[in-house]
Amino acid sequence: MDRVETLSETAAVGTPDDMQRLWVPHRMVYVQDHHQPDRSDCPFCAAPARSDEDALIVARGETAYVLLNLFPYNTGHMLVCPYRHISQYDEATPEEVAEIGALTQTAMRVAREVLGCEGFNLGMNQGQIAGAGIAAHLHQHIVPRWASDANFFPIIAKTKALPQLLGDVRASIAAAWPVDPGPAA
Ligand SMILES: [Zn+2]
């Protein structure tokens, strides 16, 4: 917890912000000129082939996996992605839907335990028009929330120390992740 508290203190040096920023995220740097990746250059297709540390992956299931958002809205911001390169939630198989749900539940429990968060925003942006940074590959956001966090989202996203912090957060969450996350895994 000491490390997490330090994160909050660092991040808290911010300016007040509007909650709408939650769902109008900074566009990921590898999505340029509204280009949407196909399978060959999709970061969510490429991540599972890399090491957990490298790709910021915290857990791997059978049909879906969980990684930290490289551009988090808040500390511990996770994404649950199917391995398949599908765009829409209604393209997911029943198995993928079940496992995305089970991984989301586990991520919430782990985030409460590791980060001590008090609430969550959960959601999927479907399509660029709805704010999806990488609309081509389905991903569910899990954004931990604290009572006083609205003030420091923009600073978290801009701080130069972020990659190091993300590595620390990833290690903490991965270490607390249960070996068997549920019946869907
Ligand atoms: Zn993909």
Side-chain angles (χ1 to χ4, degrees):
M1 277 309 296
D2 288 341
R3 176 160 283 168
V4 172
E5 284 164 8
T6 302
L7 289 183
S8 297
E9 287 168 11
T10 303
V13 187
T15 54
D17 194 21
D18 189 302
M19 284 297 294
Q20 283 191 327
R21 288 285 291 280
L22 258 178
W23 302 109
V24 187
H26 305 283
R27 188 164 295 280
M28 294 186 181
V29 292
Y30 32 65
V31 178
Q32 296 176 344
D33 301 327
H34 302 290
H35 166 71
Q36 284 295 320
D38 60 21
R39 284 173 183 74
S40 64
D41 62 355
C42 173
F44 295 145
C45 285
R50 299 158 64 193
S51 71
D52 288 359
E53 291 77 10
D54 218 27
L56 296 172
I57 290 173
V58 297
R60 297 172 189 254
E62 294 295 319
T63 67
Y65 70 101
V66 186
L67 76 171
L68 287 187
N69 191 341
L70 189 58
F71 298 91
Y73 311 157
N74 212 349
T75 300
H77 181 173
M78 288 176 267
L79 303 173
V80 183
C81 303
Y83 292 117
R84 287 199 305 139
H85 186 83
I86 55 173
S87 170
Q88 300 292 307
Y89 185 56
D90 60 353
E91 294 176 68
T93 65
E95 292 75 20
E96 287 166 337
V97 169
E99 188 163 37
I100 289 169
L103 289 169
T104 298
Q105 290 185 322
T106 302
M108 293 172 67
R109 294 172 188 137
V110 171
R112 278 194 208 99
E113 176 190 332
V114 172
L115 303 171
C117 54
E118 298 154 2
F120 297 92
N121 288 105
L122 304 178
M124 299 181 186
N125 299 326
Q126 297 281 274
Q128 282 181 275
I129 191 69
I134 301 181
H137 195 133
L138 182 67
H139 52 282
Q140 158 128 295
H141 293 265
I142 303 168
V143 184
R145 300 301 307 275
W146 291 263
S148 59
D149 64 16
N151 288 348
F152 60 76
F153 286 2
I155 295 305
I156 287 180
K158 290 173 186 170
T159 177
K160 287 164 65 177
L162 192 58
Q164 180 62 45
L165 301 182
L166 279 171
D168 291 345
V169 172
R170 191 215 68 83
S172 300
I173 292 175
W177 200 276
V179 174
D180 179 8

